[in-house]
Amino acid sequence: MKRSLSILLLTMTATTAGAQNRPVDIPRQIYGKVQVVDATTFEFRKSGQTVRLAGYEAPRLEQTARTDGADWPVGQVSRSWMILRTLGQDVNCAPIARDTNGVILAHCFVGETNLAATAVAEGIGYAFNYRGEPQVPAYFDIERRARGLGYGVWSSPDLLPPWLYTASSANGDKAKSATEEPDSGLPLPLPLSPDKSLPLNDEHGG
């Protein structure tokens, strides 16, 4: 309980400041059961509203980590963690902004537990905000402790943060497509009609 309250208090200032600058087109509160879309995003089952956790990013679903010589599905673990935290629970979100795709950014809680802050504290994901999104300085303080203790994502030295992983994957796809034989897009030859078909020996190179 003390840990949950301390994390809650650390983020109250950021939440209040964000609420003061909240656009008029987003609600003050979204509450209810959710469907986890990915490790950072929910869809509220009744309203259909999609919410992404502010100041938080998690490994991509397909990412894997290596800790003490053992591989583990870090992306799937981060999503499963969020599912277990919210399954059957009412999630209370305080929206603060929208991202560039129009998705609502919010601080979200189950009871007194701040989901993003707790995930960062347990090494499930990262304190991070994309350009133009509200920063949550308290999350970076929490992350420093998790990193120092080697929790979760910090137990795998070679694990790329998701934003770098995405960039490297995109660059890899570009490099791969550049080396592959290009698809010319030329039309296929017309099929031979029976009356214009080649003699048997010509058709088979005989």
Side-chain angles (χ1 to χ4, degrees), residues 61-131:
L61 186 62
E62 68 273 15
Q63 280 190 268
T64 58
R66 189 170 182 82
T67 302
D68 295 333
D71 295 330
W72 54 286
V74 61
Q76 295 180 36
V77 167
S78 62
R79 184 173 184 269
S80 297
W81 184 96
M82 198 61 68
I83 291 172
L84 290 172
R85 287 283 178 158
T86 59
L87 189 64
Q89 303 293 321
D90 286 316
V91 178
N92 186 13
C93 291
I96 57 173
R98 288 186 185 271
D99 66 14
T100 55
N101 296 317
V103 175
I104 293 172
L105 295 171
H107 298 296
C108 296
F109 301 79
V110 171
E112 295 180 342
T113 299
N114 180 314
L115 292 170
T118 305
V120 172
E122 296 185 8
I124 300 300
Y126 305 84
F128 182 77
N129 61 279
Y130 291 95
R131 183 175 298 177

Side-chain angles (χ1 to χ4, degrees), residues 25-53:
D25 67 327
I26 61 174
R28 292 181 178 274
Q29 181 186 37
I30 309 176
Y31 182 84
K33 301 290 192 300
V34 299
Q35 175 73 48
V36 172
V37 177
D38 57 36
T40 65
T41 310
F42 314 123
E43 181 180 310
F44 279 82
R45 286 162 53 186
K46 282 190 176 180
S47 67
Q49 291 170 300
T50 300
V51 173
R52 181 162 65 83
L53 296 174

Side-chain angles (χ1 to χ4, degrees), residues 17 19-20 25 38 63 77 107 135 139-140 156 161 163 166 188 204:
Q20 293 174 350
D25 67 327
D38 57 36
Q63 280 190 268
V77 167
H107 298 296
Q135 294 191 9
Y139 291 179
F140 292 95
S156 180
W163 53 93
T166 299
L188 295 172
H204 294 276

Side-chain angles (χ1 to χ4, degrees), residues 4 12 41 50 56 60 80 93-94 97 101 110-111 113 119 123 127 129 138 142 157 159 168 172 180 184-185 202:
S4 297
M12 283 300 291
T41 310
T50 300
Y56 175 67
R60 301 291 178 255
S80 297
C93 291
N101 296 317
V110 171
T113 299
N129 61 279
I142 296 168
L159 178 64
S168 65
E180 288 177 346
S184 64
D202 291 335

